[in-house]
Structures are given as C-alpha cells and as structure tokens.
Amino acid sequence: MDDMRPAYVAWLSTVFVGDFDDETLDVDVEEPPVPPGLGQPDSALAALVDFLHIDPDLFTAAAEGSPANTHDSEALRQWARGLSSKQQKRWLLRAIERPELALGREMIVAFLRQNPAPTVPPRTVAQLRARAHEVCELRENEEAELRERDRARRETERTLELQQLRKRWSANWKQLEKLVDQKHYDEATALTMKLRDADEGRRKPDFEQRLASLKRDFGRRRGYWQRVNARL
C-alpha cells in the first residue's frame, strides 16, 4: 500500500491561512482523500511539511480527518484465522520462498485493504481554513493558560522561598558574609537581592542597616559591591 501522505501534503501546501490568501484558489474545492497516519508524521513527512512552509495549525486541522495508521491486533488475528486453507497455504509458501520479505507487513497491508478504516466526508478549502483558525485559537488559549499556570507556580515558589529566608534571617546574613569573604560574588549578589525582597515583608525591616554593616566589614570586596550596586 503506497504512502499517499506526501501527495496530500503537497496539495495542502496550496491552501493558505493567516494574512496571505491566494485569491485564485477556489475555496469550494474539496480536499483529496486524506491518507491514514497523517497525524502521525515520521521524520521525512515532518521535514516535507516544514520545507513546504505549511501552517502547523492547518496541518493539524487536516490531520483530524485522517484515520490512525494502525490496526486492531485481535481483528487481524481473526482475519488470518478466517482465511481459507488455500490462502493460508499461499502465505506460508511465500514465507518459505521469500524469507527476506517483511511478511507481517504484507499481511497487515492485505488486511487493511480488505478492512479499510472509516473515512470522513471530504472538506472544502474554506472548511479547512476555518478549522485551522479554530485550532490556532484553541492552541493560543491553551498556551496562555500554561503561561499563567507557570507564572502562578513561580510566584508561589518565590513566596515560599522568601518566607524561608525570613525564618532564617540572621543565618542567611551570616551565609552572605561567608560568601563575600570567600569571593563568591555572583552567589553572594543573588542572595543579597533575595534578602532585599524578603526584607519588604518583615515587620521590622533592617536590610539597609545590615548591608551598611556588611560594607564596613567587607568594603574592599569591590567585585561584590560593583555587582550589588548595579542591581540596587
């Protein structure tokens, strides 16, 4: 059974969506038969879709009309058991005479030919374009929801982190002194910024006083202070 997906993809490349539309294309033209497995592209088909600059949402919309390129294993077994003795013998002899052939694949092709997957009514170019716009809207909404959930997750993590910093306030300042003394300036600067943010939620803010004290003790650590002053 020939793979007709590349031919369908070539036709699909004539269907434009978005800001550019070919006014010479008849939007009432129906699509060709949608081949099985269009929604399961291998690397070669994916490369062709990319090479032809097919809109991803249009491809998704088109693939909705494609049956899965799979088969029911139990149905295949029943089909094989239901073959006549003559047909079973022919398959057996083919396996013996041509051991290099992928006989299982040939049997699946024969099964699918006799038991084709259900097809959907062909869609017009206009319907494909409309569905592509719907797919685009759904995708953008989903992406926006994912971004919002990610923002909320990061905000929660940030709040918990600042709470932990406040609980170990004095210990964190001692850790900062150690980092500055050991010249781990990038790590020290990052901790300083976190302590500044955490200080805003404390009942008795003392970030400025503690930072001034740190400068009295480690004022010569210019690498650290240059980094901090650039971010304060």
Side-chain angles (χ1 to χ4, degrees), residues 204-223:
K204 295 182 179 180
D206 63 354
F207 175 81
E208 295 296 339
Q209 296 91 321
R210 286 181 178 270
L211 192 64
S213 176
L214 185 68
K215 192 164 189 177
R216 286 194 297 270
D217 296 335
F218 299 96
R220 294 184 179 182
R221 296 291 193 264
R222 293 182 180 178

Side-chain angles (χ1 to χ4, degrees), residues 2-12 35 38 42 44-45 48 52:
D2 295 331
D3 185 358
M4 298 303 296
R5 294 179 301 171
Y8 182 90
V9 165
W11 174 84
L12 193 63
L38 189 65
D42 52 22
L45 188 65
L48 179 61
L52 294 176

Side-chain angles (χ1 to χ4, degrees), residues 74-84 88 91 107 111:
E74 182 56 34
L76 177 60
R77 294 189 187 95
Q78 292 180 3
W79 171 80
R81 287 193 292 265
L83 293 173
S84 66
Q88 291 178 355
W91 281 111
M107 293 189 72
F111 167 74

Side-chain angles (χ1 to χ4, degrees), residues 171-188:
N172 282 311
W173 280 99
K174 290 181 180 179
Q175 175 65 16
L176 177 59
E177 292 176 0
K178 182 178 179 180
L179 291 172
V180 174
D181 186 43
Q182 295 177 348
K183 299 183 180 180
H184 297 316
Y185 295 152
D186 289 336
E187 190 176 351

